[in-house]
Amino acid sequence: MVVELKHFFMKMSYKEMNTNSSLLTVLYKPSGRDVLVLVLNDLISGIEATKEQYDHVLWQVEQAFYKNGFTNVSILSLICTKNIDRVKAFCSANSYTHWVIDQNTHRLLIYENQQRSYWEIQKQTEQFLQGNEQPVREPVYTNHRHTKATLKVRAKQMYNKYPVVTIGLVAVNVIVFLLCALTGSTEDTMHLYNWGASAYDAVVYEHEYYRLFTAMFLHAGPEHLINNMFVLIIIGERLEKILGKTRYAFVYIVTGLAASVGSIIYYQMLGENVVGVGASGAIFGVIGGIFYMVIRYRGRETGITTGRMILFLMLSLYSGVSNASQVDNTAHVVGCISGIVLTFILDELQRRKGTR
């Protein structure tokens, strides 16, 4: 049925995307910088796939269109099957819309938790199932439920289009800096300590473990903040697109904590109770994650060549070493190494769930 459905939609001005895969058919209809994508999947082929694997494939398709210059990508999955019970798991709540074509009854099934705002596709699919191939036009809606569904689709598009986690992290760092500056000098060590800077004695003896986290959002002066946020915007946006928003945020937070722990342990070994602040440990964790992805996939996932990434990493580390009196290089190194290791683990787990 997928072959017939493909030809039917291609008559409706859809184009086929070359996926080099016999398992999926991807059709799309561009409109300026917006694109509507149909993913046709035949689940009677005997190929077993989990919901996570299938959603990851849809994510790859979505990212391919973003990389081709589209700013709004809407994806609708049409699953053809004779086993309705098998596909129910695919239609659980998630970020993609899955409709089901029951090949036993030739009916289109749209579960309650799935988007219903693709009116034109719904009518065209139903006409295909009834053997009528005349195209239909989308009506003008005034229904509140339709408007609400459309807003949800638009919200998802905006969420996927922009690096919202990176933007959020930058916003939090700037807001914390402004609040800290309003209550004192951001270059005063005692003032930063009172705001939650990390220090070995406070963390170990006073059990103020929260400092390992809060120190990541404090900065010693505007130059410190601007330099860190500039690098975060440039590098963070790339890793967020590659790993996805949740895993990217996980890498940022965990590597930042690892950098804080490594820093206070190192300086305690030197007999120094240093007060530490800054997002650079977490940022170097992001750099380490990008570095791993560039080396592992030879730039295919990142758009950065291996040589350029190695040069960037070396320059970043050298910049810290050349300003050793003002820069916590231990946090940089620990953050970078933990970023490489953590991204490797997450990437391996993802690849075992489905082909990257």
Side-chain angles (χ1 to χ4, degrees):
M1 178 177 286
V2 166
V3 175
E4 293 82 358
L5 195 59
K6 179 188 78 170
H7 292 310
F8 172 76
F9 277 109
M10 290 184 73
K11 292 180 181 178
M12 307 295 177
S13 302
Y14 283 84
K15 302 176 182 179
E16 183 175 9
M17 174 185 179
N18 183 15
T19 61
N20 295 319
S21 172
S22 60
L23 304 180
L24 294 175
T25 298
V26 178
L27 305 176
Y28 65 99
K29 178 187 285 188
S31 176
R33 301 190 70 181
D34 298 347
V35 63
L36 176 59
V37 182
L38 294 181
V39 179
L40 311 181
N41 185 12
D42 188 347
L43 283 187
I44 65 171
S45 60
I47 302 297
E48 295 293 333
T50 65
K51 171 183 173 296
E52 291 76 15
Q53 289 173 329
Y54 187 46
D55 279 354
H56 182 67
V57 170
L58 296 182
W59 177 84
Q60 288 181 304
V61 171
E62 183 178 44
Q63 295 304 309
F65 281 97
Y66 280 125
K67 290 178 181 178
N68 283 329
F70 291 102
T71 57
N72 290 318
V73 181
S74 301
I75 291 187
L76 172 61
S77 163
L78 286 175
I79 303 175
C80 302
T81 184
K82 291 184 177 179
N83 188 346
I84 299 301
D85 292 332
R86 181 186 169 195
V87 301
K88 285 183 178 179
F90 286 76
C91 299
S92 60
N94 52 56
S95 58
Y96 295 103
T97 301
H98 302 286
W99 292 357
V100 179
I101 295 178
D102 185 350
Q103 297 195 47
N104 295 311
T105 61
H106 281 245
R107 292 176 56 204
L108 175 64
L109 306 178
I110 304 176
Y111 291 94
E112 291 182 358
N113 61 344
Q114 300 299 304
Q115 293 287 348
R116 296 171 177 264
S117 55
Y118 302 100
W119 183 89
E120 184 178 8
I121 298 176
Q122 179 180 345
K123 294 299 293 184
Q124 289 172 343
T125 304
E126 289 173 345
Q127 287 189 343
F128 165 80
L129 294 173
Q130 295 168 5
N132 181 4
E133 298 189 4
Q134 294 299 317
V136 295
R137 295 182 178 180
E138 184 172 1
V140 177
Y141 275 92
T142 58
N143 183 277
H144 174 72
R145 291 183 61 186
H146 175 80
T147 303
K148 185 177 180 181
T150 302
L151 290 174
K152 287 182 179 179
V153 172
R154 287 295 179 186
K156 173 184 172 293
Q157 291 173 345
M158 297 293 287
Y159 179 79
N160 289 327
K161 175 183 175 182
Y162 295 106
V164 294
V165 175
T166 299
I167 293 171
L169 290 171
V170 171
V172 170
N173 276 278
V174 172
I175 290 170
V176 170
F177 179 82
L178 292 175
L179 292 174
C180 186
L182 288 173
T183 55
S185 173
T186 58
E187 299 184 34
D188 179 10
T189 301
M190 196 61 202
H191 182 60
L192 291 172
Y193 180 85
N194 291 334
W195 266 80
S198 67
Y200 184 88
D201 288 351
V203 172
V204 175
Y205 299 122
E206 302 297 330
H207 307 295
E208 296 176 351
Y209 305 116
Y210 66 88
R211 292 181 179 274
L212 299 173
F213 177 79
T214 54
M216 296 162 51
F217 299 95
L218 295 169
H219 289 85
E223 184 179 353
H224 187 201
L225 173 73
I226 293 170
N227 289 340
N228 278 346
M229 295 305 99
F230 176 76
V231 177
L232 178 58
I233 291 171
I234 299 300
I235 297 296
E237 182 266 343
R238 289 180 180 269
L239 191 62
E240 182 173 345
K241 282 186 177 180
I242 297 167
L243 291 183
K245 303 184 187 306
T246 302
R247 292 189 296 163
Y248 164 70
F250 181 73
V251 168
Y252 184 92
I253 297 299
V254 172
T255 57
L257 292 173
S260 294
V261 171
S263 177
I264 64 171
I265 291 176
Y266 174 75
Y267 284 109
Q268 177 62 21
M269 291 172 62
L270 296 180
E272 303 177 18
N273 188 31
V274 174
V275 174
V277 296
S280 56
I283 292 171
F284 266 85
V286 174
I287 293 174
I290 286 282
F291 179 76
Y292 166 78
M293 297 300 290
V294 169
I295 298 299
R296 174 65 179 82
Y297 296 101
R298 299 180 181 178
R300 294 193 302 271
E301 294 275 355
T302 61
I304 305 174
T305 64
T306 303
R308 289 178 62 186
M309 188 64 228
I310 293 175
L311 179 62
F312 176 80
L313 179 59
M314 292 179 64
L315 289 174
S316 298
L317 292 173
Y318 173 76
S319 176
V321 172
S322 62
N323 297 280
S325 61
Q326 299 177 342
V327 175
D328 188 350
N329 288 294
T330 304
H332 292 182
V333 173
V334 173
C336 185
I337 294 174
S338 60
I340 293 172
V341 173
L342 188 56
T343 304
F344 163 75
I345 293 172
L346 292 174
D347 185 55
E348 284 298 308
L349 291 174
Q350 190 64 45
R351 292 198 314 125
R352 291 180 183 181
K353 288 183 179 179
T355 303
R356 175 173 283 280

